[in-house]
Amino acid sequence: MAAPPSVTTERLSGTQPSASSLVVFEDVALAFEGTPVLKGISFHLAKGETKAIFGVAGSGKSTILKLTLGLLKPDAGRIYVLGEEISQRKEEDLFELRRRIGMVFQESALFDSLTVRENVAFRLLEEGNVTEEEVDQPVREALSFVELENTVDMFPSELSGGMRRRVAIARAMITHPELMLYDSPTGGLDPVTATTIIELIIKQRDVFKTSSLLVTHRLQDAFIMATHYFDRRRNRMQPLPPGTRSEVPMGFLILRDGKIIFDGGLGELVHTQDEYIREYIS
Amino acid sequence: MELVSPADFAKDAVQAVQDYTLLAVRSVGNLFRPPRYVADIVYQADLIGVGSLPIVVLTGLSIGAELALNSANTLQRFGSLSLIGQLVSVGMVRELGPIITGLMVAGRNASGMASELGSMLVTEQIDAMRALGTDPMKKLVTPRVAATVFMLFFLTIISDLLGLFGGALISTLLYHMDWHQYWSTAWQILVFQDVFMGLLKPVLFGFVIATIGCYYGLTARGGTQGVGRATTQAVVASSVLILVVDLLVTKLLMTIFAYQ
Ligand SMILES: Nc1ncnc2c1ncn2[C@@H]1O[C@H](COP(=O)(O)OP(=O)(O)OP(=O)(O)O)[C@@H](O)[C@H]1O
Ligand SMILES: [Mg+2]
């Protein structure tokens, strides 16, 4: 596992949705109080893929993630998640599915009256029939994954923004869900901390083979993800040797005015002729 | 302030009533569906019950004493001071005990619930809970409703007893009535109907307090200010609704039991 992953040449993003797609959006539209935010969005996330979603502030990135979890309902279109159609499901019937998905919210959304330990253990305690001792081990593992072992008994308000982000990641991944949704995990952080967070996301991707949707403002995050792999032996990420590509395919989505204006891989992105995209990535 | 057309206003009002009804129905329905959050119910019961005890003791005692003081004055004029135990007893058990306790707990806990759930909503903690696969209706609303109904029932009994005790203090210390006579007349006057009415009310009031508190919390909009507004509205709405329910229940039960 320590060796750099092999070269994959097949083009995985922008292909047709198939049975192995974890997330499929079909012509999804949503308006808030009469203002359209999404005007017919279609894309899909293949199993094992990571898709980065870009767009200016207010373009509807967080909205897409909330739709994926069924936290919001689309006005039109269909959404399939983990093979199930969720767009018109009743709230009560969505909880089962949500347990198989991890989400890191833009503002972390930690439970502020629970300690870090209780936050991280939330899923396990909710799934029931576990004793306090039984959750200790996974909680410690999850917190050491994000390198925050010594904060267990602190409250979220006593942590820095970057630490909160990492606790939120630990909370979402404790049950190792098949799909992770990251909402601007590096937003508002200094470059060093931001890179640490991205390293964690790469670790999650390469160690647990999680598929993910990653909303970010920093194009650089996605570039790092596309060009690095996680070296388990050294416990850090390493650049892929030139000429190889990650065994985890990386796709890019760019949103503009409620539509997707780009859906493709890194190669297509850097060679695009579109003015707006060129400006965006420069 | 923004002007709203009457049609929109009516539509919003109907929608709000519909949402509230749905929440109220589901909060009860969840009691019969797993998972049941027993630990959360116990925690809330402790918060509501034990937390409200001092204020309930204080108000029960003083309302009973005031009732005795006021009625003694009138009764003395008719030379029938011995009726004081009966008056305090019926007044406390049927009406004042439930309503005073209900209003006190509404002020204390409907606001607490609205602000807690409202803050959780505006900081996306409710969404986070849903995202983690937990139903906030089951985890947050149902335990609060169950705990409030349960605790208000016992708080009201405590308040009734302390009201009687306050009345006894006034009657014996100020009006030199016989302690035993006071208590025996106070007990004897109570019939099943009085006690039934007095114990049905806290159950309904508790339900009103918790569902209204949670409803305003979960529909808070517009940041911290919105949470503040929701908190105030929850206290006002639950207090008004308690008074309305009280009137309706009293009238209804009086008709059913064919009171004098
Ligand atoms: N609950 C809501 N009620 C009303 N409007 C909303 C709501 N949530 C989002 N919006 C609107 O939808 C649009 C998209 O919001 P969204 O949060 O998805 O943007 P975003 O792409 O995540 O932006 P950012 O990069 O700043 O996080 C915004 O114009 C916002 O005003
Ligand atoms: Mg956002």
Side-chain angles (χ1 to χ4, degrees):
Chain A
M1 217 19 249
S6 59
V7 185
T8 44
T9 43
E10 50 181 330
R11 190 172 162 274
L12 274 137
S13 36
T15 50
Q16 287 308 301
S18 66
S20 66
S21 292
L22 287 191
V23 179
V24 180
F25 272 53
E26 277 178 7
D27 224 15
V28 172
L30 179 64
F32 284 113
E33 281 134 29
T35 320
V37 174
L38 301 178
K39 308 172 190 163
I41 298 275
S42 302
F43 73 92
H44 77 107
L45 176 79
K47 193 170 173 56
E49 189 186 6
T50 296
K51 228 174 191 119
I53 305 177
F54 297 97
V56 294
S59 53
K61 304 182 295 295
S62 302
T63 306
I64 289 182
L65 295 193
K66 287 181 184 168
L67 283 166
T68 309
L69 268 178
L71 298 177
L72 293 173
K73 295 254 173 294
D75 296 337
R78 275 191 298 276
I79 300 171
Y80 300 85
V81 177
L82 305 179
E84 300 179 37
E85 221 267 299
I86 62 153
S87 28
Q88 298 309 327
R89 275 247 200 128
K90 283 208 308 255
E91 172 80 6
E92 297 98 281
D93 304 330
L94 284 167
F95 293 108
E96 213 49 58
L97 185 71
R98 288 181 187 146
R99 299 217 176 105
R100 295 161 61 197
I101 307 172
M103 166 129 181
V104 178
F105 283 80
Q106 191 159 9
E107 312 288 347
S108 302
L110 298 175
F111 301 119
D112 55 13
S113 43
L114 300 183
T115 61
V116 166
R117 181 182 180 287
E118 292 164 326
N119 263 288
V120 175
F122 192 83
R123 277 206 149 146
L124 299 175
L125 293 172
E126 281 303 300
E127 267 152 45
N129 302 328
V130 283
T131 60
E132 293 282 318
E133 290 78 47
E134 277 172 314
V135 301
D136 256 2
Q137 174 68 10
V139 167
R140 230 174 302 130
E141 256 166 46
L143 281 174
S144 80
F145 185 87
V146 297
E147 290 161 12
L148 279 179
E149 295 97 321
N150 43 12
T151 61
V152 261
D153 292 318
M154 291 166 96
F155 283 94
S157 56
E158 298 164 344
L159 303 176
S160 76
M163 289 159 100
R164 265 179 240 164
R165 224 44 88 62
R166 274 142 69 193
V167 173
I169 293 176
R171 177 176 75 175
M173 52 133 276
I174 190 158
T175 51
H176 306 306
E178 299 150 64
L179 172 65
M180 286 289 289
L181 310 174
Y182 301 97
D183 195 347
S184 314
T186 57
L189 298 179
D190 61 278
V192 177
T193 315
T195 307
T196 320
I197 300 265
I198 289 301
E199 187 168 13
L200 275 179
I201 294 173
I202 293 177
K203 186 169 166 188
Q204 173 74 20
R205 176 190 74 182
D206 292 355
V207 174
F208 297 103
K209 304 280 173 260
T210 323
S211 319
S212 52
L213 286 177
L214 169 74
V215 166
T216 174
H217 292 104
R218 304 194 326 155
L219 206 59
Q220 196 189 348
D221 290 348
F223 284 150
I224 299 177
M225 285 199 65
T227 55
H228 286 69
Y229 74 99
F230 191 78
D231 187 335
R232 279 207 199 184
R233 219 178 28 195
R234 292 185 214 161
N235 196 28
R236 52 182 299 195
M237 63 182 182
Q238 294 286 326
L240 290 160
T244 60
R245 267 167 71 173
S246 167
E247 63 178 30
V248 182
M250 180 88 204
F252 295 79
L253 281 185
I254 300 180
L255 282 178
R256 188 190 183 186
D257 298 332
K259 298 231 179 242
I260 289 176
I261 55 164
F262 179 87
D263 182 359
L266 181 60
E268 294 151 77
L269 186 64
V270 290
H271 294 116
T272 183
Q273 298 304 315
D274 186 294
E275 283 293 315
Y276 182 82
I277 299 172
R278 293 197 72 84
E279 194 184 331
Y280 197 98
I281 63 175
S282 59
Chain B
M1 216 184 115
E2 212 180 317
L3 284 175
V4 195
S5 81
D8 281 349
F9 179 80
K11 224 188 294 171
D12 287 351
V14 169
Q15 184 66 42
V17 170
Q18 195 179 328
D19 290 347
Y20 170 72
T21 313
L22 198 69
L23 177 139
V25 169
R26 276 220 262 158
S27 70
V28 176
N30 285 339
L31 276 177
F32 306 100
R33 277 193 296 268
R36 277 176 285 266
Y37 291 95
V38 179
D40 293 84
I41 296 181
V42 173
Y43 178 78
Q44 289 297 327
D46 181 53
L47 203 73
I48 296 159
V50 180
S52 306
L53 203 55
I55 193 151
V56 166
V57 166
L58 213 68
T59 50
L61 206 60
S62 62
I63 289 288
E66 275 151 30
L67 188 60
L69 211 53
N70 275 306
S71 23
N73 199 284
T74 318
L75 289 172
Q76 232 169 8
R77 271 187 256 162
F78 300 104
S80 43
L81 193 62
S82 57
L83 291 179
I84 194 164
Q86 308 184 4
L87 241 156
V88 173
S89 171
V90 171
M92 261 337 269
V93 171
R94 240 161 60 179
E95 197 58 62
L96 288 169
I99 200 108
I100 290 297
T101 317
L103 290 177
M104 285 298 147
V105 173
R108 209 179 153 269
N109 294 96
S111 55
M113 289 174 205
S115 67
E116 188 183 350
L117 299 198
S119 310
M120 286 183 80
L121 185 84
V122 300
T123 53
E124 287 193 320
Q125 290 178 57
I126 300 280
D127 274 350
M129 189 175 275
R130 293 165 69 204
L132 289 164
T134 296
D135 187 348
M137 289 295 270
K138 282 186 184 155
K139 171 95 178 160
L140 300 174
V141 178
T142 301
R144 282 170 173 73
V145 174
T148 313
V149 168
F150 187 77
M151 293 319 280
L152 198 61
F153 184 83
F154 290 103
L155 287 172
T156 301
I157 294 177
I158 293 173
S159 168
D160 289 348
L161 291 175
L162 282 160
L164 277 169
F165 181 71
L169 288 182
I170 295 289
S171 328
T172 49
L173 297 180
L174 293 184
Y175 295 94
H176 311 294
M177 266 193 72
D178 180 52
W179 178 267
H180 289 287
Q181 196 200 346
Y182 173 89
W183 282 103
S184 63
T185 49
W187 284 133
Q188 273 160 12
I189 185 74
L190 288 180
V191 288
F192 167 77
Q193 284 90 325
D194 298 325
V195 179
F196 180 81
M197 185 191 280
L199 294 182
L200 173 67
K201 283 177 180 176
V203 171
L204 299 175
F205 295 170
F207 184 73
V208 165
I209 292 168
T211 47
I212 291 278
C214 292
Y215 172 76
Y216 275 98
L218 291 178
T219 51
R221 301 202 53 188
T224 12
Q225 208 178 19
V227 174
R229 203 163 40 232
T231 307
T232 321
Q233 283 171 341
V235 176
V236 174
S238 56
S239 306
V240 170
L241 211 57
I242 282 178
L243 294 171
V244 173
V245 169
D246 184 48
L247 198 67
L248 291 178
V249 170
T250 309
K251 179 68 194 132
L252 186 76
L253 287 187
M254 278 186 168
T255 314
I256 291 176
F257 292 145
Y259 268 91
Q260 52 280 59

